[in-house]
Amino acid sequence: MKHDIGAFLFDMDGVIIDSEPIHSRVKMDTFRHFGLSFDERDLVRYMGRTSEAIFSEVLAASGRRDLSVSDLTEYKHQHYLEVLKSGEIEPVRGAVELIRALHAAGIPLALATSSWSVVMETVLDRFGIRSCFQSVLSGGDLPKSKPDPAIYRISARRLGVEPERCVVLEDTKNGILAAKNAGMYCIAYRNPHSGQQDLSLADRIVEDLAELRLDTL
């Protein structure tokens, strides 16, 4: 191992599960269900942020007073859970192997995701990786979502590791900003399903998670 890694922090969507295409579909289904107009091409700007963030902005722009953000998020989350449990989502190639290798090496791991906590728990159980993480945290439980750095700062505190000794794996611009603003080293995975993300602020960019071996980190 090249660096003294104190902890490794994972995003979830687009890094552990290839869920971005389904997230996009479910969000568009939600807009259609409530009669809200939204250009699907604009979804890329919201990747890595919570559903509350996109829905609050869309509702504010629409001027609709008969709907609340919670109406949209509840519908979207239930719809997404139905899809998740239907078996459509697969892990990103190499993600589960990386998690287990880091855990076996004794490196503290944290999961820090913008996804709803119920979704997070479902993924941990489905892929059999819950026991690998010492900390799991959903952005839905925090006042602000990525790019706010709080989710990574809190995760580091939970693990008892200084931010500068933490490595984060992300796939979106918002996630990278959160990691860098938290003072952490950030590796970006260029997931082809995550849209045209600006990954330039990351310390390292990989095209395949198989590049992340213990002896090359």
Side-chain angles (χ1 to χ4, degrees):
M1 203 175 300
K2 294 184 177 181
H3 302 292
D4 176 26
I5 300 174
F8 203 103
L9 287 64
F10 284 82
D11 175 38
M12 187 177 76
D13 289 302
V15 170
I16 296 177
I17 56 173
D18 234 342
S19 56
E20 294 297 357
I22 297 178
H23 267 301
S24 297
R25 188 185 90 197
V26 170
K27 283 172 184 168
M28 292 307 297
D29 286 347
T30 301
F31 291 134
R32 282 188 284 270
H33 177 80
F34 289 102
L36 294 164
S37 62
F38 186 84
D39 189 334
E40 190 169 358
R41 292 172 295 184
D42 289 334
L43 283 174
V44 67
R45 295 191 295 110
Y46 293 93
M47 286 182 177
R49 298 179 67 188
T50 61
S51 297
E52 285 83 354
I54 182 172
F55 291 152
S56 61
E57 292 182 18
V58 171
L59 276 182
S62 73
R64 291 276 296 273
R65 298 185 179 278
D66 59 315
L67 294 173
S68 67
V69 173
S70 61
D71 290 332
L72 274 66
T73 54
E74 183 176 343
Y75 179 87
K76 184 259 180 180
H77 288 326
Q78 292 303 321
H79 187 21
Y80 180 69
L81 275 176
E82 290 170 6
V83 175
L84 186 67
K85 291 175 179 177
S86 73
E88 286 191 45
I89 294 181
E90 296 296 329
V92 170
R93 187 179 65 173
V96 172
E97 291 82 357
L98 176 62
I99 290 167
R100 289 179 175 155
L102 290 166
H103 177 62
I107 297 172
L109 303 183
L111 181 64
T113 174
S114 295
S115 278
W116 191 32
S117 58
V118 175
V119 173
M120 176 181 73
E121 300 290 345
T122 302
V123 169
L124 287 169
D125 288 337
R126 177 154 177 225
F127 295 157
I129 53 176
R130 178 183 294 278
S131 63
C132 295
F133 291 95
Q134 285 90 328
S135 170
V136 294
L137 183 59
S138 163
D141 296 328
L142 300 177
K144 294 183 179 179
S145 67
K146 301 173 186 177
D148 189 274
I151 192 168
Y152 283 125
R153 288 176 175 162
I154 294 170
S155 295
R157 283 201 300 271
R158 285 182 172 185
L159 296 177
V161 179
E162 294 298 316
E164 58 268 24
R165 296 187 63 225
C166 293
V167 175
V168 175
L169 182 59
E170 272 284 357
D171 70 313
T172 66
K173 179 181 179 179
N174 287 320
I176 293 167
L177 283 169
K180 297 309 297 178
N181 288 336
M184 300 178 180
Y185 184 92
C186 185
I187 299 172
Y189 165 54
R190 195 185 303 281
N191 188 323
H193 296 141
S194 297
Q196 294 298 314
Q197 295 289 327
D198 178 5
L199 306 180
S200 61
L201 292 177
D203 297 286
R204 178 181 175 186
I205 300 173
V206 296
E207 307 289 334
D208 188 331
L209 294 188
E211 297 176 43
L212 300 178
R213 302 189 313 275
L214 292 180
D215 59 344
T216 63
L217 286 173

